[in-house]
Amino acid sequence: MNNRPSLTPLVESLPATVPFVGPETQERNRGRPFRARIGANESGFGPSPRVIEAIRNAAPDVWMYGDPENHELRAALAQHHGVAPENIAIGEGIDALLGLIVRMYIEPGAPVVVSLGGYPTFNFHVAGFGGRFVNVPYDGDRENLQGLLEATISENAPLVYLANPDNPMATWWDAADVTRFIEALPETTMLILDEAYCEFAPTSAIPPIDVSRPNVLRMRTFSKAYGMAGMRCGYAIGEASAIAPFDKIRNHFGMTRLTQVAALEALRDQPYLQSVVDQVAAARDRIGRIAASHGLTTLPSATNFVALDCGADGTFAMRVLQELGHRDVFVRKPMGPHHDRCIRVSVGPEAEMDLFESAFAEALEAARKG
Amino acid sequence: MNNRPSLTPLVESLPATVPFVGPETQERNRGRPFRARIGANESGFGPSPRVIEAIRNAAPDVWMYGDPENHELRAALAQHHGVAPENIAIGEGIDALLGLIVRMYIEPGAPVVVSLGGYPTFNFHVAGFGGRFVNVPYDGDRENLQGLLEATISENAPLVYLANPDNPMATWWDAADVTRFIEALPETTMLILDEAYCEFAPTSAIPPIDVSRPNVLRMRTFSKAYGMAGMRCGYAIGEASAIAPFDKIRNHFGMTRLTQVAALEALRDQPYLQSVVDQVAAARDRIGRIAASHGLTTLPSATNFVALDCGADGTFAMRVLQELGHRDVFVRKPMGPHHDRCIRVSVGPEAEMDLFESAFAEALEAARKG
């Protein structure tokens, strides 16, 4: 057979790629497991014990499809945020929702404004639907609000993406700055405001929920502070007319039943969430002290990870990363210009932080010997 | 604000719709739960006890993302089917994979050949990517192989969909007929051969796995015989070059970690699968006897559901369905021409079949009076 079905020209043009190489892949390539899994901004503090219990209780029910309307969870999230269910769209992680949003607003060739070195999975979706990247360099170690705004206006872009707090740098803008940015955007531009890490941020960094503007979608997740990355549950908060189109194209039966149960229970256990946030803050400080003990600095962080400035260039930081790998510590690093001097360390429980402390000392020494 | 972001013309044109109204939605509208959930072809026999145990054991691990390569599950499925991992693509249910396949092959306006009255979720995705439906009426109560073939050739269609066994009619073609159909297809047409129900079918209905043709994707699922609809795990089997493009566009981190664990364990417990298949066959026969006791017939079934001919027209069958609902029995029904004379009853454990037996007698009487 010489002929075969033809992919669309767009899909044909795409590389087969994964936005992130998973730690399991690295473990298979290395031939041995990591001892500290602090590279994917997962929460080593785990989900609430009440969530674990809820999953165990619901395990026999998995023969039933989940409710395609996510009714209970949607209602609970609406109440939690003081909005209506019509202001909430739930999906299989923020990643899945990002793909749907790009599909909604971007035709091949349309401009999408992003920060250069920003979230790879969003870029994966933009490429996947043929969007044209308008890359805006960071302003130092923060996303460049003014630059993003100017690019959006000059390109008349249908879509702009901003993460606050930012990944991979962990930095943030104050709510007042974000609000000014929102108010200055063209009414015809949809802003994706990715707040995956907002629970870890100072209150002053997160604008109050306001669902009056049809051009803002705020993205939240159970993957980070709630410790449920493996359950795949994210949601968008927005004005009702910005939320409704998800129903046109989403995978209605896509949520697992256990995810619905687990997210509902996680939301109910706010004291546990607060305890994680407190532990994360303490662990961030510890990583700062570890860095300082080697004469290095960390960037201010409003997330559950820390960008640690290895004190030299990107090549050196990459060497530190590799040496950490040799010592069975999984971390990742920013790759954008200037940011590549850093490694990105997810905070974790004390045992992982102990491992990091000793492995980092050795890795740094080995990298310095070169 | 008078302006707002513009959806793409294609997405703007789509209705906000769900392919199936879930039983939970119906329960909310009714104000009370169903007593027998036998309308969505779920498996009331549940997942293997080993699966439940595996989920419970893995519950504390949900803070970790699943392996984006689905490596272990992919390897196990490959071994199970006697193919290579490169011949397997795993996704969040067949539904998600169907969406990806349409996206791969269909540009707006391109023809997609389907059976009139076939699987609504596939049609949802075809509409979602702007495909043009070429509807082929069934041949009696079976999909029309010759008609599908002729339409595919005359339209030079990039995509044709065939379910064997069929949903909603439960009928099937023998493997030899399916194989002839495959061999007669244009090499440039991708066939989606949906085998969601294949475990319930006679061996003679399922062609041997053959991954030599780049224009066939065979869809399998853990939702039906494995009793894991709520876990969202489906997969495609195909020639390596037909499988590789999934990596270009899929949601790499989309599978839940518990789903990966559960599917692996389900696959290992083949004796449980066989016991479910046996129970399903017995329950199918029982539904046949229930129908016969009222002078009615059921269609031959190679699935875990039965199309029960209510003996009159679509209006009458709809009345029977509604009367069953009044008696707290959830079933669905085919809506296509001629098929609408039937209701579609999922088989379940004895308690649900008992409920169905008594409710059906009453419903039939009420509908006949009606």
Side-chain angles (χ1 to χ4, degrees):
Chain A
M1 190 183 278
N2 293 315
N3 291 320
R4 46 156 296 138
S6 296
L7 297 168
T8 68
L10 172 57
V11 175
E12 179 66 40
S13 75
L14 300 172
T17 182
V18 57
F20 291 102
V21 177
E24 290 84 0
T25 305
Q26 295 186 39
E27 289 177 333
R28 286 189 291 271
N29 293 341
R30 291 153 36 91
R32 68 178 196 279
F34 289 113
R35 290 182 301 150
R37 183 169 163 135
I38 49 175
N41 304 342
E42 299 159 328
S43 179
F45 303 101
S48 156
R50 286 173 50 179
V51 167
I52 296 173
E53 188 63 17
I55 290 171
R56 287 179 171 155
N57 290 339
D61 298 338
V62 302
W63 62 274
M64 291 180 276
Y65 287 103
D67 172 13
E69 296 187 355
N70 299 296
H71 182 85
E72 274 191 90
L73 180 57
R74 205 179 179 202
L77 286 168
Q79 186 175 32
H80 182 71
H81 290 293
V83 298
E86 291 70 36
N87 299 117
I88 305 279
I90 298 172
E92 307 91 323
I94 289 179
D95 286 359
L97 294 169
L98 290 176
L100 295 175
I101 297 168
V102 175
R103 183 175 158 197
M104 284 179 203
Y105 292 101
I106 297 303
E107 298 206 286
V112 180
V113 177
V114 298
S115 290
L116 182 65
Y119 188 48
T121 305
F122 180 67
N123 294 351
F124 172 80
H125 291 306
V126 171
F129 289 101
R132 175 170 58 80
F133 289 98
V134 180
N135 292 305
V136 176
Y138 277 61
D139 177 11
D141 291 317
R142 290 202 293 186
E143 293 199 62
N144 184 342
L145 288 186
Q146 189 57 33
L148 290 167
L149 180 63
E150 284 167 11
T152 301
I153 291 169
S154 74
E155 293 278 355
N156 194 21
L159 209 51
V160 56
Y161 174 90
L162 171 69
N164 189 56
D166 178 54
N167 177 16
M169 301 312 287
T171 51
W172 69 98
W173 286 93
D174 278 337
D177 297 308
V178 175
T179 301
R180 264 191 299 276
F181 175 76
I182 291 171
E183 288 170 351
L185 279 177
E187 295 179 348
T188 51
T189 297
M190 179 59 82
L191 165 64
I192 302 176
L193 181 57
D194 190 337
E195 300 181 317
Y197 298 95
C198 67
E199 293 88 354
F200 303 114
T203 315
S204 60
I206 309 300
I209 296 288
D210 166 10
V211 290
S212 68
R213 287 181 177 270
N215 68 334
V216 181
L217 288 169
R218 296 173 68 164
M219 313 306 294
R220 304 289 179 97
T221 185
F222 286 89
S223 294
K224 304 302 176 185
Y226 288 101
M228 288 165 43
M231 295 304 289
R232 314 315 301 126
C233 185
Y235 58 103
I237 312 172
E239 198 261 353
S241 74
I243 293 295
F246 285 99
D247 275 347
K248 293 169 176 254
I249 57 172
R250 72 188 178 92
N251 186 10
H252 288 264
F253 286 84
M255 299 290 293
T256 84
R257 195 171 183 92
L258 295 180
T259 302
Q260 294 174 333
V261 165
L264 199 56
E265 193 61 28
L267 197 63
R268 288 176 181 143
D269 195 353
Q270 292 295 314
Y272 181 80
L273 179 75
Q274 189 54 52
S275 77
V276 169
V277 167
D278 293 343
Q279 290 175 84
V280 164
R284 278 192 315 230
D285 290 347
R286 179 166 178 196
I287 295 174
R289 290 194 301 274
I290 293 170
S293 74
H294 298 285
L296 301 175
T297 57
T298 55
L299 273 59
S301 166
T303 67
N304 70 337
F305 61 90
V306 175
L308 192 165
D309 184 339
C310 291
D313 62 4
T315 310
F316 180 76
M318 182 58 86
R319 222 151 52 212
V320 173
L321 183 96
Q322 287 163 344
E323 292 293 344
L324 282 168
H326 295 158
R327 286 158 185 85
D328 301 333
V329 172
F330 165 57
V331 298
R332 288 198 175 113
K333 72 183 298 305
M335 298 302 283
H338 186 57
H339 300 166
D340 62 355
R341 74 192 191 282
C342 297
I343 59 171
R344 195 194 68 174
V345 186
S346 308
V347 310
E350 209 159 284
E352 278 68 36
M353 295 294 93
D354 292 345
L355 274 165
F356 174 72
E357 179 160 20
S358 60
F360 183 65
E362 294 177 21
L364 201 60
E365 193 184 331
R368 284 174 175 164
K369 279 185 191 154
Chain B
M1 191 184 273
N2 294 314
N3 290 320
R4 46 156 297 137
S6 297
L7 297 168
T8 69
L10 171 58
V11 175
E12 180 64 39
S13 75
L14 299 171
T17 183
V18 55
F20 291 102
V21 177
E24 290 83 1
T25 304
Q26 296 187 39
E27 289 177 332
R28 285 189 291 272
N29 293 341
R30 292 154 34 92
R32 67 178 195 277
F34 288 113
R35 290 182 301 152
R37 183 168 163 135
I38 49 175
N41 303 341
E42 298 160 328
S43 179
F45 302 102
S48 156
R50 286 173 50 179
V51 167
I52 296 173
E53 188 65 17
I55 290 172
R56 287 178 170 156
N57 290 338
D61 298 338
V62 302
W63 63 273
M64 292 180 276
Y65 287 103
D67 172 14
E69 296 187 354
N70 298 297
H71 181 85
E72 272 191 273
L73 179 57
R74 204 179 181 199
L77 285 168
Q79 187 175 31
H80 182 72
H81 291 293
V83 298
E86 291 70 36
N87 299 117
I88 305 280
I90 298 172
E92 307 91 325
I94 289 178
D95 285 358
L97 294 168
L98 290 177
L100 295 174
I101 297 168
V102 175
R103 183 174 158 196
M104 283 179 201
Y105 292 103
I106 296 303
E107 298 206 284
V112 180
V113 177
V114 298
S115 291
L116 181 63
Y119 188 48
T121 304
F122 181 66
N123 293 353
F124 172 81
H125 291 305
V126 171
F129 289 101
R132 176 169 58 81
F133 290 96
V134 179
N135 292 305
V136 176
Y138 277 61
D139 178 10
D141 290 318
R142 290 203 293 185
E143 293 200 60
N144 183 342
L145 287 186
Q146 189 59 32
L148 290 167
L149 179 63
E150 285 167 10
T152 300
I153 291 169
S154 76
E155 292 279 355
N156 193 22
L159 210 50
V160 56
Y161 174 90
L162 172 69
N164 190 56
D166 177 54
N167 179 16
M169 301 311 288
T171 52
W172 70 99
W173 286 93
D174 278 338
D177 297 307
V178 175
T179 300
R180 266 193 299 273
F181 176 76
I182 291 172
E183 288 170 351
L185 278 177
E187 295 179 349
T188 51
T189 298
M190 179 60 81
L191 166 64
I192 302 176
L193 181 56
D194 190 337
E195 299 180 317
Y197 298 95
C198 68
E199 293 87 354
F200 303 113
T203 314
S204 60
I206 309 300
I209 295 289
D210 166 9
V211 290
S212 70
R213 287 181 178 270
N215 68 335
V216 181
L217 288 169
R218 296 173 69 164
M219 313 307 292
R220 304 288 179 96
T221 185
F222 286 89
S223 294
K224 304 302 176 186
Y226 288 102
M228 288 166 41
M231 296 303 290
R232 314 316 299 129
C233 186
Y235 59 102
I237 313 172
E239 198 259 354
S241 75
I243 292 296
F246 285 98
D247 276 346
K248 295 170 177 254
I249 56 171
R250 72 187 177 93
N251 186 10
H252 288 265
F253 286 84
M255 299 291 291
T256 85
R257 194 170 185 95
L258 295 180
T259 302
Q260 293 173 333
V261 165
L264 199 56
E265 193 61 29
L267 197 62
R268 287 176 182 144
D269 195 354
Q270 292 295 313
Y272 181 80
L273 179 74
Q274 189 54 52
S275 77
V276 169
V277 167
D278 293 343
Q279 291 174 86
V280 164
R284 277 192 315 230
D285 290 346
R286 180 166 175 197
I287 296 174
R289 288 193 302 274
I290 293 170
S293 74
H294 298 285
L296 301 174
T297 57
T298 56
L299 273 59
S301 166
T303 67
N304 71 337
F305 61 90
V306 175
L308 192 164
D309 185 339
C310 292
D313 62 4
T315 309
F316 179 76
M318 181 58 86
R319 222 149 54 212
V320 174
L321 183 95
Q322 287 162 347
E323 293 292 343
L324 282 168
H326 295 156
R327 287 157 184 82
D328 301 334
V329 172
F330 165 56
V331 300
R332 288 199 175 110
K333 72 183 298 308
M335 298 302 284
H338 186 56
H339 300 166
D340 60 357
R341 73 192 191 282
C342 296
I343 59 171
R344 195 193 69 175
V345 185
S346 308
V347 311
E350 211 159 281
E352 278 69 36
M353 295 294 95
D354 290 347
L355 274 166
F356 174 73
E357 179 160 20
S358 60
F360 183 66
E362 295 177 20
L364 200 59
E365 195 185 329
R368 282 174 177 167
K369 280 186 192 156

